[in-house]
Amino acid sequence: MRRKRLAASVLLAVTLTGVAAPAAFAQRPDPVQRQLDLLVGQDGVPGALAHYGEVTRTAGVADLESGRPMVGARGRFRLASDTKAFTATAVMRLVAEGRIGLDDRAGDHVPQLAERPITIRQLLKQTSGLPEYSALVDWTHAGTPQEYLALALDQDPVFPPGTGWGYSNTNYLVLGMVVDEVTGVGFRTYIERTILRPLRLDDTYWPSPGEFTLRGEHARNYGVDPADPEAGRVDVTELPGYEFGASGGLVSTPKDLNAFWDGLFGGRLLPAWAVRRMTEDTTDVGGTDVYPAGSRYGYGVASVPLSCGGVYWGHGGDLPGDSVGGGRATGGRGTVTVYTTTWAAQGDGLRHLQGAVDAALCAGRR
């Protein structure tokens, strides 16, 4: 789900602070660890983690009450809008199999959109103009995708389809409904069969209906509960994960998420032409929201410039209790996942999270 609205957004990279003089190189702090330490020590993040290659770096604690150490690369956390990349990959698999077309109308599969000229491509690219549904939901009560979509359709379109760009979880809510109708097994089962199992992402799962807790080892999450914002920052580890659906519902680990990015961009999930379409048919979003200059949004993935040259492709997400960023860099520079145990999508927190991503992917490239 995206920041400020139980929704998710892309977390992006920025340049790092200057490096020390060569004579002091041996004493220079690890640049990734420095960013994590700033998240905890300066920004008030309870716990932070970066996992890249075989390296895992952490700062802070996993639980403010007990003070236990931050979990590692196999600790579970909510992917929030990183889920969109999985959903987009599932849709592109259906396109590659000829079961749907990018320019098919979504209304051919979702009756609520029958009168709207919105295409599958526009949903993937966030250019449909559909309003955000998550800000309209009462998250204390379970609802259906059809009910959530109805909330969005009661609002005026943000712009006519295909005439602008606007990040909206509603786009991926609808794509989940499309996968449901086309496959007949539901988007959760289809993604399990075509992505999670082939890549052996054994620690990644969809929460069950009514499941609020996280399975297995995990850190606690802290943030402002949208149902009781006056309480300030509280423990928000328990959330209605099933309700976040195709736009933000997956739970995973840093190790599994990195394996997903490597599998997607390494050609293990889709034909090469389908991956190229996801990354070449893009919109310039630089300077919009949290996106730095040069960022582009494709089909459920975004490219972000690196301070050492090139870009990385990934996504990111935010919930009241966590923020996540990262992806796979071009030029063989590796893959990284960075996440925090509270919302860190603005100001110094965002800058330091982005800095950790950049530092990990630019290691040894300066």
Side-chain angles (χ1 to χ4, degrees):
M1 316 309 291
R2 203 177 186 192
R3 62 193 179 290
K4 301 181 182 177
R5 300 181 301 179
L6 267 181
S9 65
V10 181
L11 293 176
L12 311 168
V14 294
T15 56
L16 300 175
T17 54
V19 298
F25 181 81
Q27 289 76 41
R28 187 178 69 189
D30 175 85
V32 178
Q33 189 67 55
R34 170 175 167 75
Q35 299 299 314
L36 299 182
D37 291 342
L38 287 170
L39 280 163
V40 172
Q42 179 174 304
D43 306 324
V45 169
L49 177 146
H51 179 63
Y52 51 106
E54 300 300 320
V55 177
T56 302
R57 301 197 182 280
T58 66
V61 297
D63 184 339
L64 287 174
E65 184 173 342
S66 69
R68 64 186 171 95
M70 185 60 181
V71 297
R74 300 196 72 165
R76 289 192 170 110
F77 69 104
R78 301 185 192 277
L79 288 191
S81 267
D82 272 276
T83 303
K84 290 179 175 63
F86 289 74
T87 301
T89 301
V91 171
M92 289 304 294
R93 185 179 182 92
L94 294 174
V95 171
E97 293 173 349
R99 300 172 72 179
I100 57 175
L102 287 171
D103 294 316
D104 288 355
R105 287 198 175 198
D108 292 342
H109 308 285
V110 180
Q112 286 165 281
L113 294 175
E115 303 302 319
R116 302 200 181 206
I118 294 172
T119 67
I120 301 299
R121 186 194 308 271
Q122 290 164 351
L123 295 170
L124 288 166
K125 293 183 67 177
Q126 306 270 16
T127 60
S128 74
L130 285 172
E132 177 61 56
Y133 82 92
S134 66
L136 308 171
V137 172
D138 179 357
W139 291 104
T140 64
H141 297 86
T144 66
Q146 291 77 15
E147 290 169 342
Y148 296 154
L149 179 56
L151 293 174
L153 296 181
D154 281 342
Q155 310 298 309
D156 292 333
V158 180
F159 48 79
T163 65
W165 186 91
Y167 190 99
S168 174
N169 286 284
T170 310
N171 290 312
Y172 280 76
L173 171 77
V174 173
L175 286 171
M177 298 167 74
V178 171
V179 175
D180 288 348
E181 194 275 336
V182 173
T183 66
V185 298
F187 68 84
R188 292 177 178 86
T189 297
Y190 187 71
I191 287 173
E192 287 172 357
R193 291 177 179 176
T194 62
I195 300 175
L196 305 189
R197 292 178 191 172
L199 292 181
R200 298 183 179 179
L201 306 184
D202 297 330
D203 292 322
T204 302
Y205 68 92
W206 295 102
S208 300
E211 183 177 16
F212 282 67
T213 60
L214 292 171
R215 304 173 196 171
E217 183 183 19
H218 61 274
R220 305 297 296 179
N221 298 106
Y222 303 89
V224 176
D225 186 342
D228 187 16
E230 295 183 0
R233 190 165 81 170
V234 297
D235 190 314
V236 290
T237 308
E238 296 189 357
L239 290 173
Y242 182 84
E243 304 302 312
F244 300 160
S247 64
L250 272 173
V251 175
S252 189
T253 68
K255 184 178 179 66
D256 271 12
L257 184 54
N258 283 2
F260 166 72
W261 294 127
D262 288 340
L264 173 60
F265 296 116
R268 294 182 60 193
L269 296 176
L270 294 170
W273 68 261
V275 177
R276 286 197 301 271
R277 186 68 59 86
M278 294 176 74
T279 57
E280 291 179 358
D281 185 7
T282 61
T283 302
D284 181 0
V285 294
T288 303
D289 208 339
V290 299
Y291 301 91
S295 300
R296 303 193 67 87
Y297 198 94
Y299 296 1
V301 293
S303 66
V304 181
L306 290 166
S307 63
C308 53
V311 303
Y312 76 89
W313 282 96
H315 209 283
D318 306 286
L319 284 166
D322 77 319
S323 286
V324 55
R328 174 164 157 146
T330 56
R333 298 180 187 181
T335 307
V336 65
T337 290
V338 177
Y339 81 92
T340 60
T341 60
T342 193
W343 184 80
Q346 67 178 12
D348 285 343
L350 175 61
R351 182 167 62 87
H352 295 143
L353 190 153
Q354 295 169 343
V357 172
D358 190 87
L361 296 177
C362 288
R365 300 282 177 165
R366 300 186 183 284

